[in-house]
Amino acid sequence: GRLVRRHGEITVGAAGAVLFAAGCLGRCLPWWPGTVAASVVVGVGLPWTLVAAVTAVQTYTPQAMLGRVAGTANTAMFGPITLAIPLGSAAVAVGGRPPLVLAAVACLAAALAAAVRPRRQPAAGGPDRWRISSGRERSRSFR
């Protein structure tokens, strides 16, 4: 959360994707300490990307559409896992390295695409306000 607040969703999401890609490539190493270190890097990079994406959805979506957009974003982020499970099982035949390299290339391409996109403005009532369960708004002055 602090990284997102300080550097923005796009920067943290792109950095997380780059870390995830580096971790995927590190998992290709034939040296087990390198593989363990790469797993730690994946464990840092993936949450950064997911938290940044969810924060961006909540920040840049108008409040009236937040439920639908959040549901669609969650489907876009977590839905491909249902395809990845059988594809991963089939990828066992080609070995462990090609799918990891492919994942790294896809993540680096996504990070590059996010880095070159123009910045958007938050929706009204966006990052400086949040709604509590009673329905009234409260300022985020506790930073």
Side-chain angles (χ1 to χ4, degrees):
R2 290 180 184 169
L3 284 174
V4 171
R5 192 176 317 132
R6 179 173 288 144
H7 300 290
E9 299 88 358
I10 295 173
T11 303
V12 174
V18 168
L19 284 174
F20 183 78
C24 286
L25 293 175
R27 299 267 311 175
C28 295
L29 296 173
W31 186 51
W32 73 266
T35 303
V36 171
S39 296
V40 171
V41 171
V42 166
V44 171
L46 190 58
W48 281 11
T49 304
L50 294 175
V51 168
V54 170
T55 302
V57 166
Q58 293 173 353
T59 302
Y60 296 104
T61 302
Q63 195 164 16
M65 297 176 56
L66 188 56
R68 290 181 183 189
V69 173
T72 302
N74 281 330
T75 301
M77 285 188 290
F78 300 111
I81 293 171
T82 58
L83 292 175
I85 292 171
L87 289 175
S89 298
V92 170
V94 297
R97 288 188 178 99
L100 289 171
V101 171
L102 182 65
V105 168
C107 287
L108 289 173
L112 181 63
V116 299
R117 285 188 58 114
R119 306 289 188 238
R120 294 184 56 189
Q121 294 299 319
D128 294 330
R129 304 189 78 66
W130 55 280
R131 197 168 287 283
I132 57 177
S133 61
S134 67
R136 62 190 170 110
E137 287 190 355
R138 202 166 148 184
S139 176
R140 275 197 202 175
S141 58
F142 58 85
R143 290 186 218 191

